[in-house]
Amino acid sequence: MEVVVKPVITRQDMKTFIHLPAEIHRNHKYWIPPIYMDEWSFFNPEKNHLFENCDTILALAWKNGKAVGRIMGVISYRYNRDHNEDHGRFSFIETWNNQEVFHALIEFISNWAREKGMVKLVGPLAFSDKDPQGFQIYGYEEIPAMATNCNFPYMVDLVEKEGFEKKYDLVTYKFTVSQKLPEFYLRISERSVKNNTDLKLMEFESRKDVRPYVRPALRLLNRTFTDIYGFNPLSDKEMDDFANRYLYLINPRFIKMMVNQDNEVIAFIIGMSDISEGIRKSKGHLFPFGLVHILLAGRKSKLLTLMLIAIDPAYQNRGLNVQMATKMIESAKAEGKTHIDTHLELEYNVKVRGEMEKMGAIIHKKFRIYQKDV
């Protein structure tokens, strides 16, 4: 029988959409399930404010009465307007190694995007760069960082056989937490402290203390990420959603901020303990004991992931990144971390990549966003 692609309409459809990846990745050594409570909220337009500025569609591929693939289509009208584009996006695509199924899913989204007036399809990319993006093309032999894709190598073959070509590559880095920081790094940090007496570096012991700074920090993100591909400025509602999704998982000791004399956030860096083993043990469920497994895994993990860093343009080139990174490394060592990896960096972000490589970081994984005319 032929493959039939249908939109997700019912609650049972949504349940199938959310849980299908677990079937596909059943024997995938490095795949980590999502936190399913978050998934139900993320894909719900009534709970996820990111839907407000987008046109979206969720679809399942069926064959012989069985779900054999899924995909999401997104059109971000705000991003298209701001960047003078008419691009649709595909994301959260999952299939077994079957070109027929992959083709049917991509054709379904291509036709949908074309009917909406789009001229190009890009992906994997969802609402913004904060969602998992790109197919992994290198570094399959380790568990991925939080909020990044973990696909089988065959997905790259499937998408390229559909005529998609590279748009951008992204990389993640990994380095060892050494017992002693490089001398040049310490000198830069000391000089930055000496030359920026008007600024204050803040560290936190509780999430309650972090809460008042969430919106100011994310507003800073809006000002500094304007040139990052896929980034959409966050509304206040979206900032609260973002905080609610991640803050309870983050050790506040891995949040460093710089404020000026008016107590305005002008720089921050956020790290997160690797919690993958806890999520795996809980099978993606927070209750009844999943949250305990996840929090314990974060405490025991030897790996810290740098999730976000932003510095106000008016305060850049003053060594604030080194000040914060030095404190982050000190906290990592104090919490027993032996390695640090980074979240995704675009290949053209040579400034940030250069900072990583000065610290001896090596490329850990590579991801690719694809594009094709529709």
Side-chain angles (χ1 to χ4, degrees), residues 123-293:
L125 180 65
F127 295 107
S128 79
D129 65 317
K130 299 297 168 285
D131 302 317
Q133 57 178 321
F135 281 132
Q136 187 176 349
I137 61 172
Y138 169 81
Y140 296 104
E141 62 285 340
E142 289 188 57
I143 289 172
M146 191 78 172
T148 59
N149 278 325
C150 181
N151 55 270
F152 287 107
Y154 65 70
M155 294 297 280
V156 175
D157 296 329
L158 294 178
V159 73
E160 290 181 355
K161 286 179 181 177
E162 293 296 323
F164 282 84
E165 299 177 341
K166 170 185 169 180
K167 183 172 182 64
Y168 292 119
D169 280 355
L170 307 101
V171 298
T172 64
Y173 283 94
K174 190 173 185 178
F175 60 94
T176 301
V177 179
S178 60
Q179 292 303 307
K180 184 174 175 58
L181 288 169
E183 285 297 327
F184 79 90
Y185 220 68
L186 291 172
R187 289 196 300 270
I188 295 173
S189 180
E190 290 168 0
R191 186 164 62 245
S192 179
V193 172
K194 182 179 178 180
N195 294 339
N196 294 291
T197 55
D198 56 327
L199 306 178
K200 177 183 177 183
L201 191 147
M202 298 187 64
E203 298 184 273
F204 302 90
E205 292 293 326
S206 73
R207 295 178 182 86
K208 180 181 177 181
D209 293 337
V210 174
R211 275 284 178 186
Y213 293 95
V214 168
R215 283 191 179 183
L218 293 178
R219 286 172 184 149
L220 172 62
L221 197 75
N222 283 349
R223 299 198 301 274
T224 58
F225 271 47
T226 53
D227 294 329
I228 299 296
Y229 177 71
F231 177 74
N232 260 323
L234 297 167
S235 68
D236 285 350
K237 290 180 181 178
E238 291 164 354
M239 291 176 189
D240 294 340
D241 287 347
F242 189 80
N244 291 335
R245 191 177 185 194
Y246 288 109
L247 189 56
Y248 76 100
L249 297 172
I250 296 174
N251 183 335
R253 293 183 179 89
F254 297 134
I255 299 175
K256 314 297 178 184
M257 287 186 187
M258 303 287 297
V259 296
N260 62 18
Q261 291 175 317
D262 296 320
N263 203 39
E264 297 169 329
V265 178
I266 51 90
F268 71 87
I269 184 170
I270 298 174
M272 182 174 176
S273 288
D274 175 46
I275 57 173
S276 55
E277 284 306 313
I279 298 175
R280 176 178 281 169
K281 190 171 184 179
S282 71
K283 297 182 179 179
H285 300 287
L286 292 182
F287 304 104
F289 304 114
L291 183 58
V292 174
H293 293 317

Side-chain angles (χ1 to χ4, degrees), residues 53-76:
N53 295 296
C54 297
D55 210 341
T56 62
I57 190 167
L58 303 178
L60 289 163
W62 299 87
K63 188 172 185 177
N64 297 328
K66 179 184 177 182
V68 291
R70 75 171 198 178
I71 196 168
M72 182 180 190
V74 177
I75 297 172
S76 177

Side-chain angles (χ1 to χ4, degrees), residues 78-94:
R78 180 173 59 185
Y79 187 89
N80 281 348
R81 181 189 65 243
D82 292 345
H83 294 82
N84 194 29
E85 295 179 351
D86 291 312
H87 293 179
R89 303 170 178 181
F90 72 91
S91 58
F92 300 108
I93 184 169
E94 295 279 2

